[in-house]
Amino acid sequence: MSTLTYVEALREGMVLEMRRDPKIFLAGEDVGLFGGCFGQTQGMYEEFGPKRVIDTPISETAILGLATGAACAGLRPIVELMFIDFVGVAMDELFNQAAKMRYMFGGKAKVPFVARMPAGAGFSAAAQHSQSLEAWLAHIPGIKVVMPYSPADAKGLMISAIRDDNPVVYIETKTIYGIKGEVPDGEYLTPIGKAAVVKPGSDVTLISWGAMVGTCLSAAEELAKAGKQAEVVDLRTITPFDADTVLESVKKTGRAVIVHEAVRTCGFGAEVAATIVEKGFDSLNAPVIRVTAPDTPVPFTPPLEKEYIPSVEKVVKAAQGLF
Amino acid sequence: MDIDKKILVGMLDNMLRIRAFEQKAKELFAGGKIPGFVHLYAGEEAVASGVCANLNDKDFITSTHRGHGHLIAKGGQLNEMMAELFGKSGGYCKGKGGSMHIASVDLGILGANGIVGAGQPIATGAAFATKYLNTDAIAVCFFGDGASNRGTFHESLNLASAWKLPVVFVCENNLYGISNRQTDAMNIVDISDRAKSYGIPGVTVDGNDVLAVYEAAKEAVARARKGDGPSLIECKTWRHHGHFEGDSSVYKKKDEQTSWMSKDPIPRYEKKLLELGVLNATELAALRDKVDADLASAIDFADRSPYPNVSEVLTDVLA
């Protein structure tokens, strides 16, 4: 066990896998000597050299196309989009090509790559560098979407994503790059498609993913002070969605609050809520509630951005409203 | 002529197969046997045949919505292709792709593609893999004049040239993107001019002359295999039919159609091979008979192949 930051942990996942398998390479904008915009790939160019840690031109379409073509031809690429917001210019490569090849080709293609995409608000990076687009990507059959919160899962999901034979979008939430946690040494895999109960409780289930898991954990502490025991579920993987863990928790607590930083309408919270209502209606003692960003672009100025991102207070208030 | 007889005849054989396949596809589509969209390659046979004569099974290609010709020239089997057009389980994709998505990864065919220009970055990625793995395989990307206006074209040619990737970009310029004339869509005559901006060779050839295509591709393929990077070949050609079956072709000028039909690549090439004594009339007739027989059995195969079980709707989403 080592204490690592989130960003160190996800990097360790990449490094260990690249040492293991020479068919893995890393490509993206400024991932080489520069070490990534947030230092995610620091030291990797030095260790693996320019053949395997490759700076690309500013060509997101070509980056995701590179991953798709190279994966079809036998490699296991890791590619980075500097911000998830840039996926818009390369969406076709992801959703019409990589995601659909296996199905369209009758199961005869394998497209194993990881596309890393930093997401999230909190830096006054404004509307084009702060979004949480996991629901967009979750709407695409044929890819998997993971969004770890803890440093251990940042490493464990990275290794699982690299070993997966499908395109996996690995969403890293920028605001938690610096959080520290205990991370198992050596080979450590977090299974894709498996949520985790990160704090047990009996009165209400707080369901979240990415940085908002931290907000839910803080909210659970506040609720405990008021005598309500919240259970916190970290989805970890968006798709395939682990409905069982969520339903089991709601069965126990009878109440569910879903918290995400993405905008409200058609956010992944809607899918979680629908699943709870469809399959766990009898467990419910109160309506399923969502705490989300509003349906607006991400604002720039700190007071507005603070208002935009779901806060501990809003989560606590929403949960208390269910009793 | 210093081209091996086997190659010369093989190119004609492919051209005849493509033409016959497309003729049958046209009839079968009209007769309701083939659902969906069908985009016929008839008229452009020299391009796929001339280029693919330089490739082997290890090489990759990416194709387009007008992909039947590329697949046949790269070694695709008529039975599995026809069954795929029919949506049958015996098709290359078990009936899940159809005409626009036929693929055979084992043959290096990374798919026909319903998105114009989408093959360019994929071929670039496949070429990256062959270089990374130190094989001498290369990738060829087929695309049309319309696709050369997409951002994928720029990003792919730029990346491939910056990284000296073994990929040959083959533009089939049939002068129209559906109804949109090339002259209305770009301010240049020769799309190969665009190669200059990437610092790579660009040539324009008569795409209805299979030998001209073969020679240009030979040079570009050799350059790619040597590690000298990508090339752009523009083949000026003409689709005999509409963009898709059902297209009235109202936008094509009558004299343009007449003039191009007189440059049909198949009679031209047959005449040449007969003149050169590579084939005699009897051998040519035998070649044509064999193609017709193979087509008939492909249609029979497709007819007899069952539709996939409905449970197949849920399979092959993820590996």
Side-chain angles (χ1 to χ4, degrees):
Chain A
M1 216 47 114
S2 305
T3 304
L4 298 179
T5 63
Y6 184 91
V7 77
E8 287 166 346
L10 76 88
R11 183 193 308 132
E12 185 169 285
M14 290 192 281
V15 167
L16 291 180
E17 286 298 279
M18 286 183 71
R19 286 179 191 154
R20 182 184 62 80
D21 183 353
K23 289 188 174 167
I24 302 168
F25 71 92
L26 169 71
E29 294 158 11
D30 306 297
V31 300
L33 189 60
F34 186 68
C37 236
F38 298 91
Q40 304 103 310
T41 60
Q42 246 169 40
M44 292 179 69
Y45 178 84
E46 288 81 350
E47 176 169 353
F48 298 105
K51 185 186 168 185
R52 296 184 67 196
V53 178
I54 312 160
D55 282 327
T56 63
I58 300 172
S59 300
E60 286 80 9
T61 294
I63 292 170
L64 283 178
L66 170 75
T68 305
C72 286
L75 299 184
R76 302 189 79 88
I78 306 170
V79 292
E80 179 187 306
L81 296 190
M82 191 181 282
F83 291 85
I84 198 170
D85 312 71
F86 303 169
V87 74
V89 298
M91 205 59 165
D92 186 66
E93 282 56 45
L94 189 63
F95 95 109
N96 265 329
Q97 308 300 327
K100 293 184 170 70
M101 278 177 148
R102 186 171 181 82
Y103 194 84
M104 292 191 304
F105 299 173
K108 289 168 194 155
K110 207 166 76 173
V111 194
F113 69 77
V114 179
R116 294 181 31 236
M117 302 187 194
F123 291 100
S124 282
Q128 297 170 342
H129 289 75
S130 303
Q131 295 168 86
S132 293
L133 299 175
E134 66 274 11
W136 253 31
L137 303 167
H139 199 64
I140 306 168
I143 61 172
K144 297 181 180 180
V145 181
V146 301
M147 197 162 170
Y149 165 69
S150 74
D153 288 335
K155 173 177 172 177
L157 280 170
M158 178 61 75
I159 294 179
S160 292
I162 292 169
R163 294 187 186 182
D164 200 281
D165 279 339
N166 298 286
V168 180
V169 174
Y170 181 104
I171 302 178
E172 348 179 319
T173 318
K174 302 189 292 278
T175 35
I176 53 175
Y177 273 147
I179 65 160
K180 286 184 180 168
E182 292 294 297
V183 178
D185 296 320
E187 184 177 75
Y188 174 70
L189 286 85
T190 300
I192 293 178
K194 191 86 192 88
V197 175
V198 291
K199 185 199 163 296
S202 52
D203 300 326
V204 57
T205 302
L206 308 180
I207 302 148
S208 194
W209 48 91
M212 287 295 107
V213 175
T215 303
C216 288
L217 287 168
S218 302
E221 281 178 30
E222 294 302 312
L223 287 165
K225 288 177 198 162
K228 300 294 180 205
Q229 300 306 317
E231 177 148 301
V232 180
V233 174
D234 175 1
L235 286 193
R236 306 195 292 190
T237 296
I238 309 301
T239 47
F241 167 46
D242 178 7
D244 290 347
T245 299
V246 170
L247 290 168
E248 206 173 305
S249 176
V250 175
K251 194 173 179 183
K252 189 168 70 175
T253 62
R255 294 173 178 85
V257 178
I258 304 153
V259 184
H260 62 66
E261 195 186 303
V263 300
R264 188 175 188 82
T265 299
C266 297
F268 197 70
E271 185 63 33
V272 177
T275 302
I276 294 170
V277 171
E278 279 176 352
K279 296 184 177 166
F281 188 73
D282 292 342
S283 311
L284 291 171
N285 297 321
V288 179
I289 296 289
R290 287 174 290 163
V291 179
T292 70
D295 288 331
T296 70
V298 182
F300 161 70
T301 188
L304 293 190
E305 189 185 37
K306 186 161 176 276
E307 172 62 21
Y308 175 91
I309 300 170
S311 63
V312 173
E313 295 70 30
K314 282 179 187 164
V315 176
V316 169
K317 197 175 161 204
Q320 282 174 332
L322 299 181
F323 293 94
Chain B
M1 177 147 342
D2 60 353
I3 307 173
D4 190 88
K5 180 180 170 181
K6 212 174 138 198
I7 293 176
L8 290 172
V9 177
M11 290 195 290
L12 178 62
D13 186 43
N14 273 331
M15 292 166 76
L16 293 171
R17 274 170 196 278
I18 297 167
R19 179 67 57 89
F21 187 91
E22 298 301 57
Q23 187 53 40
K24 288 295 175 194
K26 186 177 175 59
E27 293 164 19
L28 291 161
F29 179 81
K33 282 269 188 191
I34 298 173
F37 292 121
V38 172
H39 306 82
L40 299 179
Y41 195 69
E44 305 185 11
E45 294 89 347
V47 180
S49 304
V51 170
C52 290
N54 292 284
L55 305 181
N56 61 56
D57 280 357
K58 298 265 182 331
D59 295 323
F60 292 97
I61 65 162
T62 59
S63 173
T64 69
H65 53 282
R66 198 176 306 291
H68 307 160
H70 308 132
L71 272 86
I72 292 172
K74 186 66 171 55
Q77 299 300 300
L78 302 184
N79 286 10
E80 286 82 354
M81 285 185 60
M82 192 58 86
E84 190 58 35
L85 264 61
F86 277 48
K88 298 294 192 72
S89 61
Y92 267 119
C93 312
K94 303 195 293 197
K96 288 174 150 181
S99 164
M100 267 193 296
H101 305 295
I102 307 185
S104 173
V105 178
D106 292 343
L107 291 171
I109 300 167
L110 299 180
N113 208 310
I115 305 294
V116 170
Q120 295 156 352
I122 295 171
T124 302
F128 173 86
T130 65
K131 183 175 180 178
Y132 186 95
L133 293 167
N134 270 326
T135 71
D136 75 342
I138 66 150
V140 170
C141 174
F142 292 102
F143 59 98
D145 45 300
S148 76
N149 295 332
R150 278 215 51 212
T152 49
F153 175 87
H154 171 65
E155 292 200 12
S156 303
L157 270 75
N158 181 62
L159 188 81
S161 61
W163 293 2
K164 274 198 177 356
L165 298 180
V167 52
V168 179
F169 294 97
V170 178
C171 178
E172 297 173 323
N173 182 358
N174 63 21
L175 307 176
Y176 285 90
I178 307 188
S179 69
N180 192 218
R181 283 184 70 87
Q182 184 202 340
T183 47
D184 294 331
M186 59 184 86
N187 191 32
I188 54 172
V189 173
D190 293 328
I191 292 169
S192 63
D193 287 353
R194 292 183 172 173
K196 282 195 202 96
S197 39
Y198 305 102
I200 62 172
V203 293
T204 294
V205 299
D206 176 352
N208 282 17
D209 176 355
V210 70
L211 295 174
V213 174
Y214 175 82
E215 292 293 350
K218 189 176 176 190
E219 193 178 334
V221 167
R223 178 181 143 84
R225 286 204 207 284
K226 265 196 315 201
D228 291 342
S231 308
L232 172 61
I233 301 171
E234 176 193 18
C235 304
K236 305 245 202 231
T237 186
W238 185 254
R239 58 171 149 81
H240 285 182
H241 305 297
H243 168 70
F244 47 73
E245 279 306 281
D247 165 9
S248 64
S249 297
V250 63
Y251 47 86
K252 280 184 180 175
K253 291 179 191 145
K254 208 170 173 187
D255 57 339
E256 205 177 26
Q257 173 79 357
T258 310
S259 140
W260 274 100
M261 290 305 280
S262 72
K263 291 186 278 190
D264 186 330
I266 293 180
R268 263 174 88 179
Y269 187 47
E270 284 177 341
K271 188 160 170 262
K272 180 127 199 171
L273 290 185
L274 291 168
E275 276 170 11
L276 290 169
V278 175
L279 276 178
N280 61 39
T282 316
E283 288 165 329
L284 177 58
L287 205 59
R288 284 181 164 277
D289 288 345
K290 174 80 169 68
V291 167
D292 289 343
D294 288 352
L295 239 299
S297 61
I299 294 166
D300 184 50
F301 175 85
D303 253 333
R304 282 186 294 109
S305 176
Y307 282 109
N309 190 293
V310 289
S311 64
E312 282 284 329
V313 75
L314 297 177
T315 63
D316 305 320
V317 179
L318 292 166

